[in-house]
Every structure is written in structure tokens, then in C-alpha cells.
Amino acid sequence: MPAFEIEESIEPALTELTRELVDYRLAQYRARQRRDEPSSDGFTCRVTWNQTDPILKLPSRKNALLPEGETNVRVNGAVWTFRLAKEFCNVARRAGNPQNRLPDLLRSWFGPRAGMPGTKFEVRFEHSPDGLWAEPIQRNVVDLATRRGVIAYPDLRAAAGHATEGADGIERSRVLLPIDRVEPELFAIRVSGTSMDGGKSPMRDGDWALMRLARSESASAMQDRVVLVQLPASVGSQYQIKRLRKQDGQWRLTSDNPAGPSFEATENTVPIARLDYVFHPEDLGPSLGTVLSEAELPAAFGLPDLAVKSGRQHGHLFICIDQRGMLTSPDRVRFEVEPMRPGETAFVLARKPDGAWRYLGVGRWMSSETCWRIPDVDFATWRSWGAGRQASRALPDGALGRAQVVADELLKLAPDEAWLEQPNGRRARVLGPAPRGGLRVDGGEGGFEERTISLIDLAWVVVGHDVAKEDRTPLSEAVVNRVRYLEGTPKASTKFIDTAWAIAAWRRGKGLVHVAAGGATQRAKVRRADGTHVDATFCVEPVGENVSIVLEARGGTGGSSDERNSEYSEGLELILTRLGERGLTIADAYVESRDTVTLPLAERRLQLEDRPYPVTVDDVQSVKKALNAAQAKVGRSPGAKGSGNSTKRIRLVIGGTATTTSELATLGSPPGKP
């Protein structure tokens, strides 16, 4: 029924128009229903996000035609592996590459706002004789006209000068960014450091921050906003990017990264500008591995023109690899640019034999190595421009240490127990250490001759184990080779390794390991349900085949300036609560303080009264009380007085179905928050 007066003469026409519109909308709705329902032709996924990156929301699984698990999909002619879980897909990898590239792929299709609230992007999966194909239903093509030049500054001090009368004398340049319009109040700066790398909209080292002058705005108008502030220093002033919050009636400048500094704002704190938008460098270029002709390069980076040479163009740094030796390793590029700018990143390209260019991703400067770090290149690029002949990736930090711990445990076994066995029944015995690390083994009486399982081989099995656990797939030689060798490496170019025996050694030794060796996640503060931080620090570390949570000890004395982890008790309670909510158990627990590190594991284990391992967290207070009481007894001298210290550094080895490192790292946050 119309809510307005209608002239009699136009009523028939309006009636027909209304009927036509209603019929059209119903037809759209029915077509969308048919399209979204999984069928023999394919299915459609909506692009959403996980508070950090874009992911895919799968249609209902009521229809049996929807695939599940690791699924090969062709994207732009290349083979990818998508992990299709029950409701979402948050992992997709190019064949031969262990890194998750789904966020990069979706942003390359739909732009930097892919999946964010208010957007309605979709991906269509179509069945074909070659299997599934995926493509965007509607690309978010960025018009070159929207890439506009904005003033950019090399550091925060120069940016702060933008608001002063002497701004004309400050070093500045221009950078092309995808913004709606250019305004005098806008300027861009590079984010340098990780103090704001957290929360729903992380600002990562190397990001472009688009700021708006705000000297005339009140503090209340910028509450909970990210701001550029001027702070008094011992000499002159310093400038920082922080979030302005009001807590208990006091203004505070806080870091979004829990490990970053936070402090009270004073009357000498001057807000200069507020954040309008953050651009990740990865969102400003094509998807990783894209091959482009010289004519296609400008449009791929949203620029009006682009000379194929190394240097700064339109405010962005490009490194074009066209000389052998520029790649010093599969993930390192040697190129010097003057002057170096804080937080600057580079778009890295490599020339192919046919004259086209392959995009290798975003490079980040490693001052300690005086080179640029990039994602691992493919085998062909490495052979063309690399400084070596190996086809292996670089081992992640901590992998060799974890492998050594496993090898050490195997070397402790008695001769009649020091046997390794493969699934096919083949056996090998551990003879002793290898000269360069690792193990010497043989096949026993009537078996194969003595050979080496190198520490590097074992370390790659450790890495493969972590990847397989994250993907919930079995550990196999194929998984280890996929994470070890560069994409496109032919089998004939791989170094001969006895991966099967290295896997057998890992399987035999992982259950013997009770100490951590590398592989820890970044330390973070536990957070309450409202998102505020608890003064209790934890990290997640692998221990053999398991994953563990380490809660740091409470230190200092009440009220002292050096007191740390003062809310240890609350932090432990929140972690136990979230373990219980997720159905996880405590498979083992022991003290790992500096004073007890030399004690045998049996003397450091927390013996919980009336609660054998694995412990189910069915009553948080009861389990917490038992843990506190047990740790107070560890490491005490005979006849010591008092009840003992119940706030020591403890390790909880986690059991259950979802015990990957990345999943446990979220236990410090309330459900639904990153």
C-alpha cells in the first residue's frame, strides 16, 4: 500500500511498474537461491573476514555435492589447494608452496576491503573435466583515476611538521594511493615497528598510514582512534602512533600490540593527526607469482606508467631482478637504495627468459643482513638469478634445535630399544651420533648398511609435522618435500635424502621429548572478555608431538616498580576457562623456572591431587587450586618453611582435538576476538 497520495491518472502505470519491480526482485532472489545452492555445476562462496584477513564462507553442507577437506582447484590456470572446512575456507596454497595465500588472492580480486563489513564479494567454484575452477563473480577493479597523489613523509618527525608553518622546508614526496579525493589535511607516512600490529585493524611494519590533521579537534573527538602524537623528550620532542583511550578517567596512549608500550597522556601530549586508513603493501600489487608483460605492469600496480628498472616511482620502491646474484638465497634479495627510509618496502619483480616479469611479492629490509626479505621464489627464478644451486628453502628458526632435542632423546635409548620402524615394517637401529649432527643408523643383522639421518633432514620433518598438524593431514614424504623444496622443483634436482627414515626417527623420538627448543609464538598478554589486558604473559611452544602453553612467573614484590605479571592468578584462570570451553585437556604440566631447570622432569611435574593426566578442565577453580598447590611443592628444600611459591613459570602440555600452535595462541583472547 502506498504511503503517499497518488493521482488517479497515473495509478494504472504505477501499479504496472510496481508489479514489474516485484517480479524482477523475486526472479533475482530465486536465481540467487539456485546459484548459491551447491549443484553438479558448482557452488558460490561469500567473501567474509576473520577480523584480520578475508576468508570464504561456504554454503550449507546439507547438499552432499559440496566437497570437503583439501581440494585441488585451478585459479588463473595454476593449481591451488583449498582447505574446505565445515563452514569456512581460510587456507589456500599454490601447489608446491606451504604458505597460505588465500588473503592475497582475495585482495588481488576484490581490493584492500575484501571481506570487510559492508562489502558483498563472491567467488564461484565451477566443476569442469579438469576438476574445480575458481574465479571472482565480480572483481573490484580499481580505476586508475582513484590512485591519487598524496603528500608522503619519510619519518614521523617530518610528518608532524606538516601541521606547522614551516612545513614547506620539510623533506617530503608524493605517493599514489587508492584514495577517493585529495585534501590538504591528508598526508601519508610509513608505519615503522610493530607496536600497533594487533587488534581488528593491525598496522604492520611497512604499511602506509593515511593521516588527517587534527590539531584543532578535542581529545573526546579522537577517543579510541589511532593518532599521531607529539610527546616531550629529554631533548626536544618525540613522535609516536598510538591509540587514544580513556581509562578510569585518565587519558592513555596505548599500543594495539599487547607487547607494545602504553602510557598516560599528559598536558604536554599534543595530538597532531588521526588515522583515516591503512594500506598494506600486499594490497597495492598483483597476486604473488603473477606473470606480466612490460605493457601490463602499470595497470597491475595501479600506476599511470612504470619504467621497468629498480628505484622509486610514484612514491613506491621497485626492485627489478635482472642480474645473477641479486638473489642471495631463495628468500633474500641484495639491492641498495639511497637514502634508506624507515619502514620502506619494495615491490620485487624478476625477469623471465621470454622478457616477461614475474611478481615475487613485497620485500622488507633486514638491517641485520643488509638485504631484502621476500617470500620464497620458485625454482626457475632461483636457477636464473640465484647465487647458489640448492633447491631447498631456508629452515625456519628453531627447527634445527627441535630436531637436535629429538636426536638427543633417541641417542639415550638402550641398545635393545633404539629401533626405528617404518609403516611397511622395515626397521633400523640407532648406532650413535653422526659427525655433523643427526644419527647414524643401519638395518641390523641382514639389513642395509650404515647410513646417516642428517640433522637437516630431521629438521625438515619437524617443519612438515607442524604443517601437517595445522592442515590436519597425515605426515608423509610428500608433505615434507612440499615444505622443503621450492615451487616447481623437478624431482631430479632434489638432493637425495632419506626422508622415510627421518620420519621414522621423528615418530619414535617425539614422544620422548619433554623440553621445548625454539618454535615459540610471540609472547602476549592474556585478555579479559571486554578486551582489556591482564598483567599475565604467556606464549605457545611445541614440545615433541604436542603443543604447550607457558605462563610466565609472577615477579617482584607487591607494589614495587619492577613487579611483573602481577595478575598471574587471573591469567591462569582465564586460560583454564578457555581450555575447558574448547574441550581441551592438560596432558602434562610441570614447572620450568630458572631454579628448577636442572631437576629431572619427574621432580618438576605437577602432581595434582586426585587428578591423573590427562586432566579435564571441568571445574576451573578446582583445577587452578590443584595446579597452584602442586607447583608450590616443586624445588623446595627439605624442611623449608611456609607454603611455597604458587606463581612459578609453568608449562601446560595440551591434549585434545584442536591443539595446533596457531589455535592455542588465541587462548589469550576472549572468544570471537583476535
Coordinates of all heavy atoms in Angstrom, one line a residue, residues 47-55 102-119 121 139-143 146-147 176-180 200-202 204 207-208 210 277-286 300-302:
V47 N 32.6 -13.8 0.4 CA 33.9 -13.4 1.0 C 33.5 -12.6 2.3 O 32.8 -11.7 2.3 CB 34.6 -12.4 0.0 CG1 36.0 -12.0 0.6 CG2 34.9 -13.1 -1.3
T48 N 34.1 -13.2 3.4 CA 33.9 -12.5 4.7 C 35.3 -12.3 5.3 O 36.3 -12.4 4.6 CB 33.0 -13.4 5.6 OG1 32.8 -12.7 6.8 CG2 33.5 -14.7 5.8
W49 N 35.4 -12.1 6.6 CA 36.7 -11.9 7.2 C 36.8 -12.5 8.6 O 35.7 -12.7 9.2 CB 37.2 -10.5 7.1 CG 36.5 -9.5 8.1 CD1 35.2 -9.5 8.4 CD2 37.1 -8.4 8.8 NE1 34.9 -8.5 9.3 CE2 36.0 -7.8 9.5 CE3 38.3 -7.9 8.8 CZ2 36.3 -6.7 10.3 CZ3 38.5 -6.8 9.6 CH2 37.5 -6.2 10.4
N50 N 38.0 -12.7 9.1 CA 38.2 -13.3 10.4 C 38.8 -12.3 11.4 O 39.6 -12.6 12.3 CB 39.1 -14.5 10.3 CG 40.5 -14.2 9.8 OD1 40.8 -13.0 9.5 ND2 41.3 -15.2 9.6
Q51 N 38.4 -11.0 11.2 CA 38.9 -9.9 12.0 C 40.3 -9.4 11.6 O 40.7 -8.4 12.0 CB 38.9 -10.2 13.5 CG 37.5 -10.7 14.0 CD 36.4 -9.7 13.9 OE1 36.6 -8.5 14.1 NE2 35.2 -10.2 13.6
T52 N 40.9 -10.2 10.7 CA 42.3 -9.8 10.3 C 42.4 -9.9 8.7 O 42.8 -9.0 8.1 CB 43.3 -10.8 10.9 OG1 43.3 -10.7 12.3 CG2 44.7 -10.4 10.4
D53 N 42.0 -11.1 8.1 CA 42.1 -11.3 6.7 C 40.8 -11.8 6.1 O 39.9 -12.3 6.8 CB 43.2 -12.4 6.5 CG 44.6 -11.9 6.9 OD1 45.0 -10.8 6.4 OD2 45.3 -12.6 7.6
P54 N 40.7 -11.6 4.8 CA 39.5 -12.1 4.1 C 39.5 -13.6 4.0 O 40.6 -14.2 3.8 CB 39.5 -11.4 2.7 CG 41.0 -11.1 2.5 CD 41.5 -10.8 3.9
I55 N 38.4 -14.3 4.2 CA 38.2 -15.7 4.1 C 36.9 -16.0 3.3 O 36.2 -15.1 3.0 CB 38.2 -16.4 5.4 CG1 37.0 -15.9 6.3 CG2 39.5 -16.2 6.2 CD1 36.9 -16.7 7.6
L102 N 45.5 -17.4 0.5 CA 44.1 -17.0 0.3 C 43.9 -15.5 0.5 O 43.2 -14.9 -0.4 CB 43.2 -17.8 1.2 CG 41.7 -17.5 1.0 CD1 41.3 -17.9 -0.4 CD2 40.9 -18.3 2.0
P103 N 44.4 -14.9 1.6 CA 44.1 -13.4 1.7 C 44.7 -12.6 0.6 O 44.0 -11.7 0.1 CB 44.8 -13.1 3.0 CG 44.8 -14.4 3.8 CD 45.0 -15.4 2.8
D104 N 45.9 -13.0 0.1 CA 46.5 -12.3 -1.0 C 45.6 -12.4 -2.3 O 45.4 -11.5 -3.0 CB 47.9 -12.8 -1.3 CG 48.9 -12.5 -0.2 OD1 48.6 -11.6 0.6 OD2 49.9 -13.3 0.0
L105 N 45.2 -13.7 -2.5 CA 44.3 -13.9 -3.7 C 43.1 -13.1 -3.7 O 42.7 -12.5 -4.7 CB 44.0 -15.4 -3.8 CG 43.1 -15.9 -5.0 CD1 43.8 -15.6 -6.3 CD2 42.7 -17.3 -4.8
L106 N 42.4 -13.1 -2.6 CA 41.1 -12.4 -2.5 C 41.3 -10.9 -2.6 O 40.5 -10.2 -3.2 CB 40.4 -12.8 -1.2 CG 40.0 -14.2 -1.0 CD1 39.3 -14.5 0.4 CD2 39.0 -14.6 -2.1
R107 N 42.3 -10.4 -2.0 CA 42.6 -8.9 -2.1 C 43.0 -8.6 -3.5 O 42.7 -7.5 -4.0 CB 43.7 -8.5 -1.1 CG 43.2 -8.5 0.3 CD 44.3 -8.1 1.3 NE 43.8 -8.0 2.7 CZ 44.4 -8.7 3.7 NH1 45.5 -9.4 3.5 NH2 43.9 -8.6 4.9
S108 N 43.7 -9.5 -4.2 CA 44.0 -9.2 -5.6 C 42.8 -9.1 -6.5 O 42.7 -8.4 -7.5 CB 45.0 -10.2 -6.2 OG 44.4 -11.5 -6.4
W109 N 41.7 -9.9 -6.1 CA 40.5 -9.9 -6.9 C 39.6 -8.7 -6.5 O 39.0 -8.1 -7.4 CB 39.7 -11.2 -6.7 CG 40.2 -12.3 -7.5 CD1 41.0 -12.3 -8.6 CD2 40.0 -13.7 -7.2 NE1 41.3 -13.6 -9.1 CE2 40.6 -14.5 -8.3 CE3 39.2 -14.4 -6.3 CZ2 40.6 -15.8 -8.3 CZ3 39.2 -15.8 -6.4 CH2 39.8 -16.5 -7.4
F110 N 39.5 -8.4 -5.2 CA 38.5 -7.5 -4.7 C 39.0 -6.2 -4.1 O 38.2 -5.4 -3.6 CB 37.5 -8.2 -3.7 CG 36.9 -9.5 -4.3 CD1 37.2 -10.7 -3.8 CD2 36.0 -9.4 -5.4 CE1 36.7 -11.9 -4.3 CE2 35.5 -10.6 -5.9 CZ 35.8 -11.8 -5.3
G111 N 40.3 -6.1 -4.0 CA 40.9 -4.9 -3.4 C 41.1 -5.0 -1.9 O 40.8 -6.0 -1.2
P112 N 41.6 -3.9 -1.3 CA 42.0 -4.0 0.2 C 40.9 -4.2 1.1 O 41.1 -4.6 2.3 CB 42.7 -2.7 0.4 CG 42.2 -1.8 -0.7 CD 42.0 -2.7 -1.9
R113 N 39.6 -3.9 0.7 CA 38.5 -4.1 1.6 C 37.8 -5.4 1.4 O 36.7 -5.6 2.0 CB 37.5 -2.9 1.4 CG 38.0 -1.6 2.0 CD 36.9 -0.5 1.9 NE 35.6 -0.9 2.5 CZ 35.4 -0.9 3.8 NH1 36.3 -0.5 4.6 NH2 34.2 -1.3 4.3
A114 N 38.4 -6.3 0.8 CA 37.8 -7.7 0.5 C 37.4 -8.3 1.9 O 38.2 -8.4 2.8 CB 38.8 -8.6 -0.2
G115 N 36.1 -8.7 1.9 CA 35.6 -9.3 3.1 C 35.1 -8.5 4.2 O 34.5 -8.9 5.2
M116 N 35.5 -7.2 4.2 CA 35.1 -6.3 5.4 C 33.7 -6.0 5.4 O 33.0 -6.1 4.4 CB 36.0 -5.0 5.3 CG 37.5 -5.3 5.4 SD 38.5 -3.8 5.5 CE 38.0 -3.1 7.1
P117 N 33.1 -5.6 6.6 CA 31.7 -5.3 6.7 C 31.3 -4.3 5.6 O 32.0 -3.3 5.4 CB 31.6 -4.8 8.1 CG 32.7 -5.5 8.8 CD 33.8 -5.5 7.9
G118 N 30.1 -4.5 5.0 CA 29.6 -3.6 4.1 C 29.9 -4.0 2.6 O 29.4 -3.4 1.7
T119 N 30.8 -5.0 2.4 CA 31.1 -5.5 1.1 C 30.4 -6.8 0.8 O 30.0 -7.5 1.7 CB 32.6 -5.7 0.9 OG1 33.0 -6.7 1.9 CG2 33.4 -4.5 1.2
F121 N 31.3 -9.3 -1.8 CA 32.0 -10.0 -2.9 C 31.8 -11.5 -2.8 O 31.6 -12.1 -1.7 CB 33.5 -9.7 -2.8 CG 33.9 -8.3 -2.8 CD1 34.5 -7.6 -1.8 CD2 33.5 -7.5 -4.0 CE1 34.8 -6.3 -1.9 CE2 33.8 -6.2 -4.1 CZ 34.5 -5.5 -3.0
R139 N 34.9 -8.7 -10.0 CA 36.2 -8.1 -9.5 C 36.0 -6.7 -9.0 O 35.1 -5.9 -9.6 CB 37.2 -8.1 -10.6 CG 37.7 -9.5 -11.0 CD 38.7 -9.4 -12.1 NE 39.1 -10.8 -12.6 CZ 40.2 -11.4 -12.1 NH1 41.0 -10.8 -11.3 NH2 40.5 -12.6 -12.6
N140 N 36.8 -6.3 -8.0 CA 36.7 -4.9 -7.6 C 37.9 -4.2 -8.3 O 39.0 -4.0 -7.7 CB 36.9 -4.8 -6.1 CG 36.8 -3.4 -5.6 OD1 36.0 -2.6 -6.1 ND2 37.5 -3.0 -4.6
V141 N 37.7 -3.9 -9.6 CA 38.8 -3.2 -10.3 C 39.0 -1.8 -9.9 O 38.0 -1.0 -9.9 CB 38.4 -3.3 -11.8 CG1 39.5 -2.6 -12.6 CG2 38.2 -4.7 -12.3
V142 N 40.2 -1.5 -9.5 CA 40.5 -0.1 -9.0 C 40.8 0.7 -10.2 O 41.8 0.5 -11.0 CB 41.7 -0.1 -8.1 CG1 42.0 1.3 -7.6 CG2 41.4 -1.0 -6.9
D143 N 40.0 1.7 -10.5 CA 40.2 2.6 -11.6 C 41.5 3.4 -11.3 O 41.7 3.9 -10.2 CB 39.0 3.6 -11.7 CG 39.1 4.5 -12.9 OD1 40.0 4.4 -13.7 OD2 38.2 5.3 -13.0
T146 N 41.4 6.6 -9.3 CA 41.2 6.6 -7.9 C 42.6 6.5 -7.2 O 42.7 6.7 -6.0 CB 40.4 5.4 -7.4 OG1 41.1 4.2 -7.7 CG2 39.0 5.4 -8.0
R147 N 43.7 6.3 -8.0 CA 45.0 6.3 -7.4 C 45.5 7.7 -7.5 O 45.9 8.2 -8.6 CB 46.0 5.4 -8.2 CG 45.6 3.9 -8.1 CD 46.0 3.3 -6.8 NE 45.6 1.9 -6.7 CZ 46.5 0.9 -6.7 NH1 47.8 1.1 -6.7 NH2 46.0 -0.3 -6.6
L176 N 51.3 7.6 -4.8 CA 50.0 7.3 -5.4 C 49.3 6.2 -4.6 O 49.9 5.1 -4.5 CB 50.1 6.9 -6.9 CG 50.4 8.0 -7.9 CD1 50.4 7.4 -9.3 CD2 49.4 9.1 -7.8
L177 N 48.2 6.5 -4.0 CA 47.4 5.5 -3.2 C 46.0 5.6 -3.7 O 45.5 6.6 -4.2 CB 47.5 5.9 -1.7 CG 48.9 5.7 -1.1 CD1 48.9 6.3 0.3 CD2 49.4 4.3 -1.1
P178 N 45.2 4.5 -3.5 CA 43.8 4.4 -3.9 C 42.9 5.2 -2.9 O 42.3 4.6 -2.1 CB 43.5 2.9 -3.9 CG 44.4 2.3 -3.0 CD 45.7 3.2 -3.0
I179 N 42.9 6.5 -3.1 CA 42.0 7.3 -2.2 C 41.0 8.0 -3.1 O 41.1 8.2 -4.3 CB 42.8 8.4 -1.4 CG1 43.6 9.3 -2.4 CG2 43.8 7.6 -0.5 CD1 44.4 10.4 -1.7
D180 N 39.8 8.4 -2.4 CA 38.7 9.0 -3.2 C 39.0 10.4 -3.7 O 38.7 10.7 -4.8 CB 37.5 9.0 -2.3 CG 37.0 7.6 -1.9 OD1 37.2 6.7 -2.8 OD2 36.4 7.4 -0.9
K200 N 41.7 -5.4 15.6 CA 40.9 -5.7 14.4 C 41.5 -5.1 13.1 O 41.3 -5.6 12.0 CB 39.5 -5.2 14.6 CG 38.7 -5.9 15.7 CD 37.3 -5.3 15.7 CE 36.5 -6.0 16.8 NZ 35.1 -5.5 16.9
S201 N 42.3 -4.0 13.2 CA 42.9 -3.4 12.1 C 44.4 -3.2 12.3 O 44.8 -2.1 12.6 CB 42.2 -2.0 11.8 OG 40.8 -2.2 11.5
P202 N 45.1 -4.2 12.3 CA 46.6 -4.1 12.6 C 47.3 -3.2 11.6 O 47.0 -3.2 10.4 CB 47.1 -5.6 12.5 CG 46.1 -6.3 11.6 CD 44.8 -5.6 11.8
R204 N 50.9 -2.9 10.3 CA 52.1 -3.7 10.3 C 53.3 -2.8 9.8 O 53.1 -1.8 9.1 CB 51.9 -4.9 9.3 CG 50.8 -5.8 9.8 CD 50.3 -6.7 8.7 NE 49.2 -7.5 9.2 CZ 48.3 -8.0 8.4 NH1 48.3 -7.8 7.1 NH2 47.3 -8.8 8.9
D207 N 53.4 -0.7 6.4 CA 52.2 -0.2 5.9 C 52.2 1.3 5.6 O 52.9 2.0 6.2 CB 51.0 -0.5 6.9 CG 50.7 -2.0 6.9 OD1 51.2 -2.8 6.0 OD2 49.9 -2.4 7.8
W208 N 51.3 1.7 4.7 CA 51.1 3.1 4.5 C 49.9 3.6 5.4 O 48.9 3.0 5.4 CB 50.7 3.5 3.1 CG 51.8 3.5 2.1 CD1 52.1 2.6 1.2 CD2 52.8 4.5 2.0 NE1 53.2 2.9 0.5 CE2 53.7 4.2 0.9 CE3 53.0 5.7 2.7 CZ2 54.8 4.9 0.5 CZ3 54.1 6.5 2.3 CH2 55.0 6.1 1.2
L210 N 47.4 6.6 6.2 CA 46.8 7.8 5.7 C 46.3 8.6 6.9 O 45.3 8.2 7.5 CB 45.7 7.6 4.6 CG 45.2 8.8 3.9 CD1 46.2 9.4 3.0 CD2 43.9 8.4 3.1
Y277 N 43.0 5.7 7.2 CA 43.0 4.4 6.6 C 44.4 3.9 6.5 O 45.4 4.6 6.6 CB 42.5 4.5 5.1 CG 42.0 3.2 4.6 CD1 40.7 2.7 4.9 CD2 42.8 2.5 3.7 CE1 40.3 1.5 4.4 CE2 42.4 1.2 3.2 CZ 41.1 0.8 3.6 OH 40.7 -0.5 3.1
V278 N 44.5 2.5 6.5 CA 45.8 1.8 6.4 C 45.8 1.0 5.1 O 44.9 0.3 4.8 CB 46.0 0.9 7.6 CG1 47.3 0.1 7.4 CG2 46.1 1.7 8.9
F279 N 46.9 1.1 4.4 CA 47.1 0.4 3.1 C 48.3 -0.6 3.4 O 49.4 -0.2 3.6 CB 47.4 1.3 2.0 CG 46.3 2.2 1.6 CD1 46.4 3.5 2.1 CD2 45.2 1.9 0.8 CE1 45.4 4.5 1.8 CE2 44.2 2.7 0.5 CZ 44.3 4.1 1.0
H280 N 48.0 -1.9 3.2 CA 49.1 -2.9 3.3 C 49.7 -3.0 1.9 O 49.0 -3.0 0.9 CB 48.5 -4.3 3.6 CG 47.7 -4.3 4.9 ND1 48.2 -3.8 6.1 CD2 46.5 -4.9 5.2 CE1 47.3 -4.0 7.0 NE2 46.3 -4.7 6.6
P281 N 51.0 -3.0 1.8 CA 51.7 -3.0 0.5 C 51.2 -4.2 -0.3 O 51.1 -4.1 -1.5 CB 53.2 -3.2 0.9 CG 53.3 -2.6 2.3 CD 52.0 -2.9 3.0
E282 N 50.9 -5.4 0.3 CA 50.5 -6.5 -0.4 C 49.2 -6.3 -1.2 O 48.9 -7.0 -2.1 CB 50.3 -7.7 0.5 CG 51.6 -8.3 1.1 CD 52.1 -7.5 2.3 OE1 51.5 -6.5 2.7 OE2 53.1 -7.9 2.8
D283 N 48.4 -5.3 -0.7 CA 47.1 -5.0 -1.3 C 47.2 -4.1 -2.5 O 46.3 -3.8 -3.2 CB 46.1 -4.4 -0.3 CG 45.8 -5.3 0.9 OD1 46.0 -6.5 0.7 OD2 45.4 -4.8 1.9
L284 N 48.4 -3.5 -2.7 CA 48.6 -2.5 -3.8 C 49.2 -3.1 -5.0 O 49.5 -2.3 -6.0 CB 49.5 -1.4 -3.2 CG 48.9 -0.6 -2.0 CD1 49.9 0.4 -1.5 CD2 47.6 0.0 -2.3
G285 N 49.5 -4.4 -5.0 CA 50.1 -5.0 -6.2 C 49.3 -6.3 -6.6 O 48.3 -6.6 -6.0
P286 N 49.7 -7.0 -7.6 CA 49.0 -8.2 -8.1 C 49.3 -9.3 -7.1 O 50.0 -9.2 -6.1 CB 49.7 -8.4 -9.4 CG 51.0 -7.9 -9.3 CD 50.9 -6.6 -8.5
A300 N 48.8 -3.4 -13.3 CA 48.8 -4.3 -12.2 C 49.1 -3.7 -10.9 O 48.7 -4.2 -9.8 CB 49.9 -5.4 -12.5
F301 N 49.8 -2.5 -10.9 CA 50.2 -1.8 -9.7 C 49.3 -0.5 -9.5 O 49.6 0.3 -8.6 CB 51.6 -1.5 -9.6 CG 52.5 -2.7 -9.5 CD1 53.1 -3.3 -10.6 CD2 52.8 -3.2 -8.2 CE1 53.9 -4.5 -10.4 CE2 53.6 -4.3 -8.0 CZ 54.1 -5.0 -9.1
G302 N 48.4 -0.3 -10.4 CA 47.5 0.8 -10.4 C 48.2 2.1 -10.6 O 47.9 3.2 -10.0

